[in-house]
Amino acid sequence: MDDIIGRRKAEYEPLIEDFKKEIRGLNLQNVTGPHFPCVGECYEEAKYKFVFCGMETYGWDSLEDLMKQDANKYLVNGDNRINTYQPIEWISNWNATFWGFIFKFLAKFYNTDLDKLVYDENDAASRSILKSIIWCNSNAIERFGVTCEHNGVDINVWNAVKRASKKFDDLIRVVNFCAPKVIFVLCKAAEEYIVNDEEISRIYGVDAKQKNNVLKLKHENPQYTYYYLRNSLTHVFLLPHPRWMGQFSGYGQDAYIDTLIESIKNYHIWDALPKSNKDWNIVTEDFIRNPDKPYQLMASIAHSLTLSNAVMYGGDLGRLFNMNGFRTGNAKYSEDGGRGVFSVIKYAYKYYHNRGDYQTAYEIARSFVNKNGEYSY
């Protein structure tokens, strides 16, 4: 279950089975099925991990199909849309649509020409960028008036389906299975579903009066809200819908994109931003030139943990390594606390101890534990 598709299956399959039980027996003819996060096949290789979250789809797969299918088959159907570049066909206005905004952002972020990114089928790097993202929606089930009403669905049936689907709408489920660095929520109305103060408090178990694990900042001119979710090291930008940005904000989508990239730099979300479309993946010269980078990352984490008198489970460290492209030989690190993770902890300790950096060695030694909270190296 180390791959992202397996992690998504583990996160959503039990919820889907419960959902099916709750709605079984209803007349589900013409009811639009739920939308789940769609994973681009290059996401795990991506050095810059982005999730783009809208509010809802406008027509999706049939709910009757989900009731008949294996859950994972239904989930993978959405991935195929990303991996066959179907969103390109959905863009009706480059300055006022959801996917127009996404592709313009990716072109600007990766310093590549927009037409080349979207239309050059011979440019492997650009095509990989288009498949390096995850697309989700804050409403797994669309509002009644979007599709179901026009299809003649009984509103009482839709209400029952909508209630049962609420379990899919938590942002934490996306964070759990794909550990994104940045999430763009491209609909201001989505705040009530996934990133308002009350919901963040509930998801992360934060005292509503003392939200020390959630940083919230307001950005002006143009307006958007930035959240830093410290528990998962996730940066969330809550933005207006791209149509509003392009037609009614007075700034335009390009101005929003410029200021978002500037914020990414200012918040030091990554050490460096890409210079070209060839910098999209984690297998770069930077890692080849700097084989000690995993130790440096551990040292930084251990220092913060020591200051907070806290510890970290070795399996979580393994997952962090995997998400950032570090490998033990050619294999991924264990995410269930296997020996590979604890071996690298031991080697990191020796690395700093042998260099005479005894403080860092000490901090690493005291910061990482097994499932039982014990030191296993």
Side-chain angles (χ1 to χ4, degrees), residues 207-226:
D207 185 334
K209 297 179 181 177
Q210 295 182 342
K211 299 185 186 69
N212 295 325
N213 289 331
V214 179
L215 172 66
K216 178 179 178 180
L217 300 175
K218 288 283 189 180
H219 188 279
E220 302 293 340
N221 303 321
Q223 291 186 350
Y224 60 83
T225 307
Y226 163 80

Side-chain angles (χ1 to χ4, degrees), residues 10-252:
E11 184 72 31
Y12 285 97
E13 188 174 47
L15 302 176
I16 291 172
E17 294 308 315
D18 289 343
F19 172 73
K20 287 181 177 181
K21 291 176 184 177
E22 291 179 50
I23 64 174
R24 190 166 285 125
L26 297 174
N27 178 7
L28 301 176
Q29 185 176 5
N30 295 327
V31 179
T32 304
H35 178 273
F36 297 103
C38 301
V39 179
E41 64 187 13
C42 296
Y43 178 82
E44 285 202 286
E45 302 172 54
K47 185 176 181 181
Y48 305 95
K49 288 182 163 52
F50 291 108
V51 168
F52 294 90
C53 177
M55 184 174 183
E56 61 195 353
T57 51
Y58 289 83
W60 196 242
D61 294 323
S62 164
L63 181 52
E64 289 182 299
D65 288 345
L66 174 60
M67 299 299 286
K68 300 171 186 174
Q69 287 179 354
D70 169 79
N72 204 48
K73 182 179 179 182
Y74 184 90
L75 290 168
V76 171
N77 284 342
D79 303 342
N80 293 337
R81 288 175 168 89
I82 298 288
N83 296 326
T84 57
Y85 313 110
Q86 288 186 31
I88 295 173
E89 302 170 7
W90 302 341
I91 301 172
S92 58
N93 182 335
W94 277 97
N95 294 311
T97 55
F98 180 79
W99 285 101
F101 173 87
I102 291 174
F103 290 153
K104 287 201 298 182
F105 172 85
L106 292 173
K108 190 71 174 284
F109 183 80
Y110 284 100
N111 286 294
T112 191
D113 180 73
L114 178 61
D115 286 341
K116 188 175 182 62
L117 175 72
V118 176
Y119 298 117
D120 189 347
E121 298 180 3
N122 296 315
D123 187 335
S126 292
R127 300 307 264 183
S128 296
I129 289 170
L130 297 183
K131 300 185 291 185
S132 70
I133 65 172
I134 288 176
W135 165 40
C136 66
N137 281 293
S138 61
N139 279 341
I141 294 290
E142 304 163 359
R143 289 168 296 166
F144 181 66
V146 174
T147 305
C148 285
E149 182 178 16
H150 305 292
N151 290 343
V153 174
D154 184 331
I155 191 169
N156 295 312
V157 171
W158 178 86
N159 279 328
V161 171
K162 182 66 174 178
R163 283 195 301 271
S165 75
K166 285 293 187 179
K167 60 179 68 66
F168 303 138
D169 293 341
D170 282 350
L171 179 65
I172 188 59
R173 306 210 181 278
V174 180
V175 173
N176 280 348
F177 86 85
C178 69
K181 194 76 168 179
V182 171
I183 300 176
F184 293 117
V185 181
L186 293 162
C187 182
K188 190 67 170 67
E191 185 169 21
E192 68 178 282
Y193 296 102
I194 57 174
V195 290
N196 67 7
D197 289 345
E198 181 180 348
E199 190 72 357
I200 284 178
S201 301
R202 184 184 66 76
I203 289 172
Y204 289 98
V206 180
D207 185 334
K209 297 179 181 177
Q210 295 182 342
K211 299 185 186 69
N212 295 325
N213 289 331
V214 179
L215 172 66
K216 178 179 178 180
L217 300 175
K218 288 283 189 180
H219 188 279
E220 302 293 340
N221 303 321
Q223 291 186 350
Y224 60 83
T225 307
Y226 163 80
Y227 294 87
Y228 178 60
L229 312 184
R230 194 174 69 181
N231 287 17
S232 59
L233 310 180
T234 310
H235 304 261
V236 180
F237 293 87
L238 177 64
L239 298 151
H241 189 279
R243 183 178 298 108
W244 190 89
M245 290 186 209
Q247 295 182 339
F248 306 110
S249 70
Y251 293 96

Side-chain angles (χ1 to χ4, degrees), residues 262-297:
E262 191 63 30
S263 291
I264 287 172
K265 293 177 183 176
N266 292 339
Y267 298 156
H268 301 288
I269 294 176
W270 287 284
D271 291 340
L273 299 191
K275 296 179 180 178
S276 74
N277 60 347
K278 295 180 180 179
D279 293 337
W280 72 271
N281 68 338
I282 54 180
V283 185
T284 64
E285 289 299 315
D286 179 51
F287 287 89
I288 296 172
R289 290 195 305 268
N290 193 355
D292 301 328
K293 198 162 186 178
Y295 296 159
Q296 296 169 6
L297 177 60

